[in-house]
Amino acid sequence: MTRPARPTTVPKVIDIPGELAASQEKYNGEAGRAFIEELPDLAAGFLDRWELEPDGPPMHGVSALVLPVVRADGGPAVLKLQLLDEESEGEPVALRAWDGDGAVRLLDHDEPTGTMLLERLDETRMLSDVPDTHQAVVTLAELLAHLTSFPAPPGMRRLGDIARAMLERTPRALDRIPDREARRLVADCAAAVREVVDEPGDRLLHWDLHDENVLASDRAPWLAIDPKPLAGDPGFELWPAIDNRYDPDDILWRFDAMTDVLALDRPRARAWTLGRLLQNALWDIEDGRPLDDDQLEIARRLRAHTA
């Protein structure tokens, strides 16, 4: 989460971070603008409903506003307000399943709006602040090993459905890649997914566990936040730790270390990690962006990795 540089002030309620408003408009258009316009009333309503007092400046990510608050009993918490969509609607379901075991604890939830009251962690201490990247990768892997030990609750989005949809979109996307080597690389990612798509797994996945989504806490050294949960194979979880603080010479070490900690079948994990790279490539192509060179290098090195 980042603090706003130039907030837009809403008197007597909250400061709406200008960066959050811009990202909502960029990614969600009219729905995002409406969400930003409704935020002051939404925040005020939940502060009153849950008997909360603001306790510091707001924080935000790309899609959510997070307000530090104090509860009626004096306990610290955070109020998370976000636009309800396919990803965010699964967040409270996953947090309830983990029940604070390896992840932030859910204290209250409003299903119609997706608003959540969460325990307050230490936002000043992120895993991204750990200078030793190998230590950070192992910490991420240990968290993932624990979180993915939980079976996915019924009704969770399923990796198998997402993977089949990606494969359906791939031929059209390949036609839009002018570079022959990049086109071959993306095609190979799709081929790897095709080999495992019929066994997509049933574990509860975080999907977005990078080193800024892991915060310190008084009750545990590190806890995960902001899941975008799926039901699937833990091999689909590895990409963020490989991409964080990108170092091309560290790609294979990170992959091997994580598969060891999670006790994963390495060929299957490699296929699902290439699937994650396929997902990113499809988003770039469909949004008219060039393919990311770092992403391509990760795919290139993993494709050749047979150890």
Side-chain angles (χ1 to χ4, degrees):
M1 290 181 289
T2 57
R3 295 196 181 272
R6 293 192 299 270
T8 300
T9 300
V10 179
K12 301 182 181 178
V13 186
I14 57 171
D15 290 338
I16 298 179
E19 294 153 345
L20 176 61
S23 66
Q24 281 291 337
E25 178 152 4
K26 177 180 179 181
Y27 294 111
N28 296 311
E30 182 58 38
R33 288 191 293 273
F35 170 68
I36 293 298
E37 289 175 3
E38 293 165 2
L39 259 181
D41 289 341
L42 189 66
F46 280 102
L47 291 172
D48 181 62
R49 173 175 165 183
W50 286 338
E51 300 181 48
L52 308 171
E53 288 291 334
D55 189 38
M59 299 169 286
H60 69 94
V62 173
S63 59
L65 183 73
V66 179
L67 301 177
V69 295
V70 175
R71 305 176 76 187
D73 63 4
V78 295
L79 181 66
K80 183 175 183 180
L81 304 124
Q82 59 191 343
L83 186 64
L84 192 61
D85 58 20
E86 184 181 41
E87 292 181 353
S88 61
E89 71 180 4
E91 183 174 355
V93 179
L95 293 179
R96 282 199 192 96
W98 289 319
D99 193 25
D101 191 359
V104 65
R105 181 169 283 119
L106 179 68
L107 305 175
D108 212 334
H109 170 234
D110 179 67
E111 188 171 350
T113 64
T115 301
M116 291 182 291
L117 187 66
L118 304 166
E119 73 171 309
R120 195 191 305 183
L121 307 183
D122 187 349
E123 78 280 359
T124 69
R125 291 189 292 152
M126 293 181 178
L127 188 59
S128 58
D129 298 327
V130 173
D132 185 338
T133 55
H134 283 191
Q135 180 185 340
V137 166
V138 171
T139 296
L140 276 168
E142 290 170 345
L143 265 178
L144 284 173
H146 184 71
L147 296 174
T148 59
S149 69
F150 288 72
M156 189 67 65
R157 291 184 305 155
R158 307 200 69 81
L159 176 57
D161 297 334
I162 292 170
R164 281 185 282 273
M166 288 195 299
L167 292 175
E168 291 175 2
R169 290 153 54 200
T170 296
R172 179 178 173 83
L174 291 175
D175 289 340
R176 298 171 61 183
I177 304 175
D179 180 80
R180 179 178 299 179
E181 195 269 341
R183 186 165 61 248
R184 178 72 265 165
L185 200 56
V186 174
D188 287 348
C189 288
V193 173
R194 206 168 286 114
E195 293 178 1
V196 294
V197 69
D198 290 332
E199 297 181 60
D202 64 356
R203 300 291 88 191
L204 178 54
L205 307 185
H206 182 289
W207 186 83
D208 195 28
L209 197 62
H210 54 76
D211 57 8
E212 291 187 357
N213 270 348
V214 179
L215 301 183
S217 167
D218 291 338
R219 68 175 180 85
W222 298 107
L223 293 170
I225 64 169
D226 291 346
K228 307 293 186 286
L230 302 172
D233 190 298
F236 201 61
E237 292 273 43
L238 307 185
W239 169 81
I242 296 172
D243 187 59
N244 283 170
R245 292 186 265 180
Y246 174 74
D247 179 351
D249 294 330
D250 216 27
I251 291 169
L252 298 186
W253 183 92
R254 297 183 191 192
F255 176 78
D256 289 348
M258 296 187 78
T259 51
D260 284 346
V261 171
L262 277 89
L264 299 181
D265 176 80
R266 199 160 279 169
R268 283 184 58 81
R270 181 180 61 177
W272 281 120
T273 305
L274 291 173
R276 189 67 174 270
L277 295 162
L278 174 64
Q279 185 178 55
N280 293 340
L282 290 172
W283 286 335
D284 285 341
I285 294 163
E286 292 166 357
D287 289 343
R289 297 187 300 266
L291 294 176
D292 184 275
D293 289 338
D294 293 351
Q295 299 281 301
L296 294 175
E297 185 60 21
I298 292 172
R300 191 176 291 114
R301 296 201 183 203
L302 285 178
R303 181 182 61 176
H305 189 44
T306 57

